Amino acid sequence: MDFAFIFQTMKTLLAAVPMTLGLFFLSVTFGGLLALLIVWMRVAKNPILSNFAKGYIFVFRGSPLLIQMFLVFYGLGQFGFIRYSFLWPFLREPFVCAVLSLALCTAGYSAEIFRGGLRAVPAREIEAARSIGMSGFLLVRRIIGPIAFRHALPAYSTEIVMMVKSTALASLVTVWEVTGVAQRLISQTYRTMEVFLCAAVIYLVLNFLILQAMALLEYRLSHHRRAAVSRLP
């Protein structure tokens, strides 16, 4: 092992971490918002909306993310109404295409996770809230949303970690995040072991920090369970 080379490689790869974090945060944010919309359509009593949501989830969970990313990056420009629209200056950028494909994919997975959280909300909690006059958005904000999110959080944390690792695919559409920079270094130095070892350490640290943050959030949202356990003899 050439530790001087490893140090220089780590320094170079760390410079690409902001790009990886940008891909991650934007895709998770937009994907989460889209997932909420898909969940609303999925549980709606309107069969058109419900079937559309089912189809969306099936397509984006059933096809590889890499193919989805290639279709977005190479395929959108094939449509004239997109190429000559006001969206084209944005959609021709590799970073935007990578964020869009990551967000569309995670929305499909997150929607099913959130739906599972909704199904875990006890009916008695909803009935109790309605008995004191809660309804509509207030019921969702005060009762259904917090309980559903708390139940969905363990599975959603796994999806969050998967999104960190999925950002590595953005290098295939010329977005130079950590993996892309690592591959470029390997093509220049032919030192695969050291470069990928440094990249793996960076991803491990990022995922560790994210998992710690998710565990802290779950701890903060489960104070009622801790209180119940503390009262046991």
Side-chain angles (χ1 to χ4, degrees):
M1 287 288 182
D2 185 345
F3 290 101
F5 175 77
I6 290 176
F7 176 79
Q8 185 60 40
T9 298
M10 184 65 75
K11 183 178 178 181
T12 303
L13 294 181
L14 286 175
V17 169
M19 178 65 73
T20 295
L21 292 178
L23 287 169
F24 167 71
F25 283 116
L26 288 175
S27 60
V28 167
T29 300
F30 292 122
L33 294 175
L34 181 58
L36 293 176
L37 176 62
I38 297 298
V39 168
W40 174 77
M41 297 171 66
R42 180 72 172 81
V43 301
K45 296 182 179 180
N46 187 318
I48 297 177
L49 295 177
S50 180
N51 288 327
F52 175 83
K54 290 179 182 178
Y56 179 95
I57 293 170
F58 173 76
V59 168
F60 284 95
R61 290 205 309 171
S63 57
L65 173 57
L66 180 59
I67 293 178
Q68 298 170 21
M69 192 171 290
F70 281 159
L71 288 175
V72 171
F73 184 68
Y74 296 109
L76 291 181
Q78 305 298 317
F79 299 97
F81 68 91
I82 293 179
R83 191 167 60 253
Y84 299 109
S85 70
F86 70 95
L87 295 174
W88 183 239
F90 303 98
L91 293 177
R92 69 183 179 184
E93 295 295 329
F95 180 82
V96 175
C97 290
V99 169
L100 179 60
S101 56
L102 289 169
L104 291 173
C105 183
T106 191
Y109 288 92
S110 300
E112 281 297 274
I113 293 172
F114 294 158
R115 188 174 72 90
L118 281 177
R119 297 184 64 180
V121 178
R124 63 178 181 275
E125 300 283 351
I126 300 176
E127 293 173 359
R130 285 175 174 166
S131 68
I132 60 174
M134 285 190 188
S135 62
F137 180 74
L138 181 62
L139 177 62
V140 173
R141 183 174 66 87
R142 297 291 299 274
I143 305 297
I144 298 177
I147 296 176
F149 182 71
R150 189 164 59 243
H151 283 290
L153 194 55
Y156 188 58
S157 64
T158 302
E159 173 61 17
I160 292 295
V161 170
M162 291 298 298
M163 287 305 299
V164 175
K165 295 187 289 185
S166 296
T167 58
L169 294 176
S171 62
L172 299 177
V173 292
T174 69
V175 177
W176 299 113
E177 40 68 63
V178 172
T179 301
V181 174
Q183 290 174 334
R184 188 163 58 182
L185 282 174
I186 291 171
S187 67
Q188 296 169 353
T189 63
Y190 300 100
R191 303 179 74 163
T192 305
M193 182 67 179
E194 293 96 327
V195 175
F196 275 151
L197 181 62
C198 292
V201 169
I202 290 175
Y203 282 112
L204 283 172
V205 172
L206 290 177
N207 284 325
F208 174 78
L209 295 176
I210 290 172
L211 284 174
Q212 290 299 110
M214 299 296 287
L216 178 61
L217 178 60
E218 186 176 359
Y219 179 82
R220 295 290 297 274
L221 292 176
S222 304
H223 58 86
H224 62 290
R225 295 182 180 178
R226 299 195 304 274
V229 171
S230 64
R231 289 195 297 266
L232 293 176

